[in-house]
Amino acid sequence: MQQMEEDLQVRWLKLRIKLKEQFGIKPDMNGILMLIGVQELGQGPQEFNKEQKQDLMHIATCKLLSEEGFYELEFQDKEGWPHWKKVKSLPQMDLQQQEDLLRDKILLYFEDIDY
């Protein structure tokens, strides 16, 4: 278990370094979720207000957790924003377990898009 946690941490750090090389900053979890949200929105980089940034992070979280069947895409509204519906609840996890799950899904996401 310790080895798996260390491997996750190393892979996470490598991703953050790669993103820093591309964008000039080393993003934290929220920054990476925003990046995924912008990618999933598909409208390119633009200025977003605070509420839209929260929505982008929600889009990213739903997209990442949809791979495990927790969410499914319901529809896209007329502005092109995806709307997700919760299909099943996440199992009980502490904060660290939740972060590790998201980190793992983020790493898989970036592998899948060949980043």
Side-chain angles (χ1 to χ4, degrees):
M1 187 66 168
Q2 181 74 20
Q3 181 64 33
M4 285 175 46
E5 287 177 23
E6 287 177 12
D7 181 53
L8 178 64
Q9 296 301 328
V10 169
R11 290 172 38 232
W12 180 252
L13 183 59
K14 286 180 180 178
L15 173 64
R16 289 182 69 210
I17 290 169
K18 191 171 187 177
L19 292 173
K20 180 181 181 188
E21 290 169 356
Q22 183 158 1
F23 296 105
I25 57 167
K26 191 180 343 178
D28 61 7
M29 173 76 77
N30 287 342
I32 294 172
L33 288 173
M34 285 225 358
L35 183 63
I36 293 171
V38 170
Q39 176 74 22
E40 291 302 310
L41 181 59
Q43 297 178 2
Q46 55 187 286
E47 290 293 319
F48 296 101
N49 65 37
K50 185 176 181 177
E51 185 178 329
Q52 289 171 322
K53 289 177 183 178
Q54 289 175 328
D55 290 345
L56 289 168
M57 289 189 285
H58 178 72
I59 289 169
T61 302
C62 291
K63 169 64 178 172
L64 295 169
L65 295 177
S66 72
E67 302 299 320
E68 296 290 323
F70 294 107
Y71 289 89
E72 66 181 36
L73 183 60
E74 198 168 22
F75 66 94
Q76 284 188 313
D77 64 24
K78 59 184 176 235
E79 286 87 33
W81 287 73
H83 292 263
W84 296 83
K85 86 174 170 183
K86 187 177 189 178
V87 177
K88 64 181 181 180
S89 295
L90 285 165
Q92 283 293 100
M93 292 184 242
D94 64 29
L95 186 57
Q96 187 61 51
Q97 291 170 317
Q98 291 174 26
E99 282 188 15
D100 286 348
L101 174 64
L102 273 180
R103 283 185 177 137
D104 187 53
K105 297 300 169 199
I106 287 168
L107 290 163
L108 290 171
Y109 178 88
F110 281 99
E111 286 175 11
D112 286 348
I113 62 170
D114 197 29
Y115 208 75

